[in-house]
Amino acid sequence: MVDIKKILKRMTVREKIGQLSQYNANLFLDTDAMVTGNMDMLVISGEDLKYVGHVLNFKSPAEMRQIQKEHLQNDRNKIPMLFMMDVIHGFRTIYPIPLALGCSFNPDLVTECSRMAAREAVKGGVQVTFTPMVDYVRDARWGRVMESTGEDAYLNSVMGEAQVRAFQGDDLSDKESIAVCVKHFAAYGGAEAGRDYNTVELSEHTLREHYLPAYKVCLDAGAEIIMPSFNTLNGVPATANSWLMKTVLKDEWGFDGIVISDFGAIKELIDHGVAQDGKAAARLAFDNNCNIEMCSAMYFSYLEELIGENVFSMAQLDEAVLKVLDLKKRLGMFDNPYRGADVTDIEITHENREVSRRAAEECAVLLKNNGVLPFKKSTKKLAVIGPFADNHNIIGFWSCNGKNEESVTVADGIKALLPDAEITVIEGCGDEWNDTDTSGFDEAVNAAKASEVVILCLGEPQDYSGEGNSRLELELHKIQLELAKAVIGVNRNTAVLTFSGRPMVLTELEKTAPAILHMWFPGTEGGMAVANLLFGFANPCGKLSMTFPRSTGQCPIYYNHTNIIKYGKPGAHKPYCASYIEHDNLPLYSFGHGLSYSDFAYEELALSKDAMTADESIEVSITVHNTSDIAGKETVMLYMCDMVASTARPVQQLIAFKKIYFEPSERKVIKFTVTEPMLRFWNNNNEYVSEPGEFRLWTGYADHLVLEKKFSLMIGSSDV
Ligand code: GLC
């Protein structure tokens, strides 16, 4: 068994600093592997390159093996490098984007997908993934909402924990496990105006209520690494924010794992104007517990000098290095520096495609259906129209080593499902926001006229979301709306598919489309999932994990708002009310919305009692009846409102959910237990308490709550 303390003893200072540095693969070999940041900021000497302890963004296991082999030949300590990637929603076999995974409300599915990704990543030469991203999001203009599981801290916590446990397994030496890095700490999703990298100003109350919980749940689940975010939080960049990195992360949460900066974020402290120069940036970051520097060279350039000046002690440097060597040891890297890396590229398997397809089916959200869906399986003549009709670019941003060309397009899926049908495929128009060419309309309209059913495939390009891709307008692109009106105008048997990495404004489309099935970016098997869903071989069961606005001007818009006084009822604007002049502030589709081909009747919500003390609980029973003859899954949700408290409480907040399968005509009683900790919130003294008083419970989904019941908490935690 390797003795890391013995290794540490013989290391030079520069060798130690090397263990706190990570660079892109293209510094080590000639590769066109992706670069996930601005490399032009990186200046490192060839001498220092041989000390580097970590690599990110390589293209294949062969590249990993080559870099590792050459490194070990030159490193006198024979310390293996760690190889890290953004395995956000799949490694080679890509499954739906995380915002879509949130819509599955199925942590077991997320576990299955993550385990598959971990197995592929191990073979791909990866030992650490920069996942889960659990940034809380409320503004769909921000491109990175696609990486989050949405606008509810509880849902984000459940999904984040599932990913941590699935990727890391029970033991990091397990050849099917990789270490995770939870990110971006903290509140990157609160970027002002939804503009990426922008300022974040949030009260401590809001941070603790919504933005911080999921990171803590992931760390408590054993996440090995955490990554501070690029943004300033209340004036101080996260990488140098002592309230975040010391008070919260270390003192309150007791996290003693590894902190790795984001890409160049330490050097960017200069750009933020909180560091005079590189030396000051290195000092700020290291002083705030940032252990590994990603893709900038401030530690290589200044850490030795700072130790020589006794700003930091050698013991502090050794502490950071020892954490890194310990992780490498627990990953088994000293025993086998190549771990599970294959010698050739890994291929997508049939089994993994099946996992990806099932995930895409469960993450899709049926937003509207006037009865046109599901289409008849006997359909013989159909048209597949639109910019996403035969488009491989449906695997989404952050698709790691996935390949667009390996995806199943909508047309592919429909042809595979209905091999004997006559299927006409027409693009009809482009997918760029400013496309104006309508020359494809006539062909599309004629095909629609001649078909039994039409599948209209619309949306925003996958490179319109993800990092750095903020948008000013969320409305469906004008030309696509015109195409939709022309096609639906000649064939009412039309179902519209929408593809996006964020909530889109579908208000105009909703007025004319008989059915809308939102697919997000569904991954490698997207087209097969679409075919199964449209023709009833799969029954839609997704529920929105993020609100769809009625117009972009409503952003940020979210379900768990406090009671907006003078709210004003929907309808015409009235003076002195909180709605907009153009329309009220209700969304088009709220958090939790999602239809099914089954019909679920919510018949009763019953409580075991109507009062409890802090040490008691209340049993909640919800009776749901599938009144249709179609089997299906339904996510039964429990919402609550703390009617009066020392701070204004959300008018509704999700506190529990269960995804339940129903046979045709089946009735089930779903049970939940409400305990006092579920009623807690962060009060204005930043205490996490429950307060006595009246609470209301509902089921249904946000903005469509039903079966209200009340109960009282006689004594809260604040009283004990
Ligand atoms: C990027 C992203 C971060 C990612 C890192 C490495 O800039 O902000 O989420 O993990 O760089 O690719």
Side-chain angles (χ1 to χ4, degrees):
M1 180 65 83
V2 66
D3 181 343
I4 56 177
K5 288 184 177 171
K6 193 173 171 188
I7 293 176
L8 183 69
K9 279 204 178 79
R10 67 169 186 255
M11 291 171 75
T12 65
V13 173
R14 293 209 77 70
E15 289 168 341
K16 292 177 181 176
I17 294 170
Q19 292 302 310
L20 307 186
S21 304
Q22 176 181 59
Y23 295 105
N24 231 67
N26 59 350
L27 267 73
F28 300 92
L29 46 65
D30 181 18
T31 173
D32 61 351
M34 63 183 155
V35 177
T36 52
N38 297 320
M39 284 302 283
D40 53 18
M41 66 196 311
L42 179 56
V43 176
I44 179 171
S45 72
E47 174 62 18
D48 284 336
L49 215 47
K50 71 171 185 277
Y51 300 130
V52 171
H54 314 273
V55 175
L56 79 158
N57 295 336
F58 54 98
K59 200 157 185 195
S60 67
E63 286 191 356
M64 178 263 182
R65 286 179 167 277
Q66 181 184 342
I67 295 170
Q68 188 75 292
K69 183 180 174 202
E70 289 170 5
H71 164 75
L72 291 171
Q73 283 167 349
N74 298 321
D75 181 20
R76 68 187 187 89
N77 300 308
K78 304 302 174 201
I79 301 172
M81 293 173 129
L82 271 190
F83 291 78
M84 309 186 191
M85 288 278 277
D86 294 282
V87 186
I88 306 291
H89 56 109
F91 178 74
R92 282 285 287 111
T93 310
I94 306 303
Y95 44 89
I97 58 172
L99 192 57
L101 290 176
C103 297
S104 73
F105 279 82
N106 185 347
D108 293 341
L109 174 73
V110 171
T111 297
E112 187 179 7
C113 288
S114 304
R115 288 302 294 164
M116 170 179 76
R119 286 192 295 271
E120 287 192 342
V122 165
K123 290 178 183 171
V126 176
Q127 292 94 49
V128 178
T129 176
F130 300 118
T131 310
M133 185 273 216
V134 290
D135 297 345
Y136 179 80
V137 292
R138 287 177 161 174
D139 195 325
R141 293 172 293 180
W142 191 50
R144 302 194 75 165
V145 298
M146 56 76 56
E147 285 179 77
S148 167
T149 45
E151 67 187 54
D152 183 79
Y154 171 63
L155 179 62
N156 291 347
S157 299
V158 169
M159 296 307 190
E161 177 172 0
Q163 292 176 77
V164 171
R165 297 190 185 284
F167 275 109
Q168 294 195 160
D170 298 326
D171 180 345
L172 279 186
S173 64
D174 174 352
K175 286 292 172 285
E176 294 197 338
S177 295
I178 58 177
V180 304
C181 169
V182 65
K183 66 186 185 185
H184 305 83
F185 189 63
Y188 184 15
E192 208 165 81
R195 191 150 56 89
D196 206 351
Y197 315 122
N198 203 358
T199 305
V200 176
E201 292 283 345
L202 289 166
S203 69
E204 187 169 338
H205 168 74
T206 299
L207 278 165
R208 290 182 182 279
E209 274 284 295
H210 300 287
Y211 287 83
L212 294 182
Y215 303 115
K216 182 166 190 312
V217 167
C218 289
L219 295 178
D220 290 348
E224 291 284 346
I225 305 173
I226 192 164
M227 179 192 293
S229 48
F230 287 124
N231 56 281
T232 58
L233 175 59
N234 298 331
V236 183
T239 310
N241 191 308
S242 61
W243 180 77
L244 264 185
M245 305 308 288
K246 291 180 177 175
T247 306
V248 175
L249 188 60
K250 205 157 182 68
D251 301 346
E252 282 186 26
W253 294 358
F255 180 69
D256 196 29
I258 294 171
V259 177
I260 186 169
S261 82
D262 205 336
F263 198 111
I266 293 181
K267 187 174 181 182
E268 284 179 354
L269 295 176
I270 304 169
D271 305 277
H272 278 299
V274 295
Q276 180 69 40
D277 51 28
K279 184 174 179 182
R283 175 173 182 166
L284 265 175
F286 195 76
D287 183 47
N288 281 289
N289 302 321
C290 189
N291 307 128
I292 300 175
E293 178 174 15
M294 183 196 293
C295 289
S296 58
M298 301 303 100
Y299 283 2
F300 262 128
S301 305
Y302 303 106
L303 209 42
E304 189 166 9
E305 191 179 329
L306 288 164
I307 290 169
E309 295 166 358
N310 293 320
V311 174
F312 300 116
S313 67
M314 187 59 76
Q316 286 173 289
L317 179 64
D318 288 352
E319 182 190 359
V321 175
L322 215 48
K323 280 197 277 192
V324 169
L325 296 181
D326 176 61
L327 177 60
K328 292 185 175 183
K329 178 179 177 181
R330 286 185 291 117
L331 279 164
M333 295 304 286
F334 286 98
D335 303 329
N336 175 3
Y338 305 102
R339 206 158 181 261
D342 267 353
V343 288
T344 58
D345 269 355
I346 62 170
E347 292 307 322
I348 296 181
T349 65
H350 174 73
E351 293 71 23
N352 287 354
R353 278 188 177 269
E354 199 272 338
V355 173
S356 175
R357 177 186 52 72
R358 274 191 292 111
E361 288 167 358
E362 277 218 43
C363 293
V365 183
L366 184 58
L367 297 174
K368 177 182 180 183
N369 183 20
N370 71 356
V372 73
L373 287 178
F375 289 141
K376 292 187 179 66
K377 295 179 177 70
S378 58
T379 301
K380 285 288 176 267
K381 194 171 168 51
L382 60 151
V384 185
I385 297 171
F388 283 87
D390 199 18
N391 188 334
H392 282 283
N393 298 328
I394 55 171
I395 63 176
F397 200 92
W398 291 119
S399 53
C400 204
N401 283 13
K403 295 173 184 169
N404 285 315
E405 61 272 24
E406 291 175 334
S407 71
V408 177
T409 70
V410 172
D412 294 338
I414 302 296
K415 288 173 185 171
L417 190 72
L418 305 176
D420 303 327
E422 183 186 337
I423 301 167
T424 307
V425 181
I426 295 166
E427 186 179 48
C429 72
D431 61 3
E432 297 292 333
W433 69 277
N434 54 357
D435 274 339
T436 55
D437 179 1
T438 60
S439 59
F441 277 31
D442 289 349
E443 188 189 13
V445 170
N446 292 334
K449 274 180 188 166
S451 297
E452 289 173 61
V453 301
V454 177
I455 299 164
L456 191 51
C457 313
L458 310 175
E460 64 166 18
Q462 63 186 3
D463 59 3
Y464 275 31
S465 51
E467 183 169 356
N469 295 319
S470 315
R471 294 208 66 187
L472 285 170
E473 293 180 2
L474 303 177
E475 280 70 10
L476 185 67
H477 302 166
K478 202 173 293 176
I479 189 133
Q480 293 188 37
L481 209 46
E482 287 168 13
L483 177 66
K485 284 176 182 166
V487 164
I488 296 167
V490 298
N491 191 328
R492 295 291 302 162
N493 260 340
T494 295
V496 182
L497 300 172
T498 44
F499 294 81
S500 74
R502 55 163 47 89
M504 295 189 78
V505 173
L506 303 176
T507 311
E508 285 308 305
L509 179 69
E510 198 278 339
K511 291 173 184 170
T512 54
I516 304 173
L517 179 63
H518 193 68
M519 294 304 297
W520 301 105
F521 285 113
T524 307
E525 281 290 302
M528 205 62 244
V530 161
N532 286 341
L533 288 162
L534 291 179
F535 289 88
F537 291 92
N539 187 354
C541 59
K543 305 281 186 186
L544 290 181
S545 58
M546 190 172 182
T547 298
F548 273 50
R550 196 184 296 271
S551 59
T552 306
Q554 291 180 297
C555 291
I557 183 170
Y558 46 93
Y559 89 96
N560 47 1
H561 54 78
T562 56
N563 190 23
I564 302 159
I565 56 168
K566 301 184 176 66
Y567 191 64
K569 292 302 169 214
H573 175 67
K574 301 176 185 61
Y576 310 116
C577 79
S579 61
Y580 295 96
I581 285 178
E582 295 82 353
H583 59 70
D584 57 53
N585 196 45
L586 293 175
L588 183 63
Y589 303 116
S590 67
F591 175 86
H593 172 75
L595 305 176
S596 165
Y597 297 147
S598 309
D599 288 316
F600 297 106
Y602 285 72
E603 297 177 336
E604 186 187 13
L605 186 157
L607 304 184
S608 59
K609 52 189 173 189
D610 60 8
M612 64 182 257
T613 56
D615 59 351
E616 295 175 327
S617 62
I618 289 181
E619 299 310 311
V620 181
S621 305
I622 299 173
T623 304
V624 181
H625 181 198
N626 176 6
T627 58
S628 76
D629 57 1
I630 302 172
K633 295 177 186 174
E634 173 73 344
T635 299
V636 179
M637 303 181 189
L638 184 63
Y639 289 83
M640 77 95 165
C641 175
D642 182 349
M643 299 308 289
V644 178
S646 54
T647 62
R649 305 297 305 128
V651 294
Q652 55 199 340
Q653 58 186 97
L654 180 70
I655 56 171
F657 62 85
K658 287 180 182 175
K659 191 161 194 175
I660 308 290
Y661 174 80
F662 289 81
E663 291 295 351
S665 305
E666 187 172 20
R667 177 181 278 108
K668 283 186 174 177
V669 178
I670 293 89
K671 293 189 177 297
F672 297 97
T673 300
V674 173
T675 59
E676 178 272 329
M678 293 162 77
L679 311 179
R680 293 189 181 186
F681 65 99
W682 287 92
N683 68 15
N684 258 348
N685 302 324
N686 290 317
E687 297 153 336
Y688 192 50
V689 298
S690 60
E691 296 176 354
E694 182 182 277
F695 291 76
R696 289 186 184 169
L697 290 175
W698 299 270
T699 186
Y701 64 93
D703 290 347
H704 297 78
L705 300 175
V706 295
L707 301 178
E708 175 181 314
K709 280 289 185 304
K710 299 175 188 174
F711 73 91
S712 299
L713 177 66
M714 309 307 284
I715 300 172
S717 69
S718 58
D719 301 321
V720 295

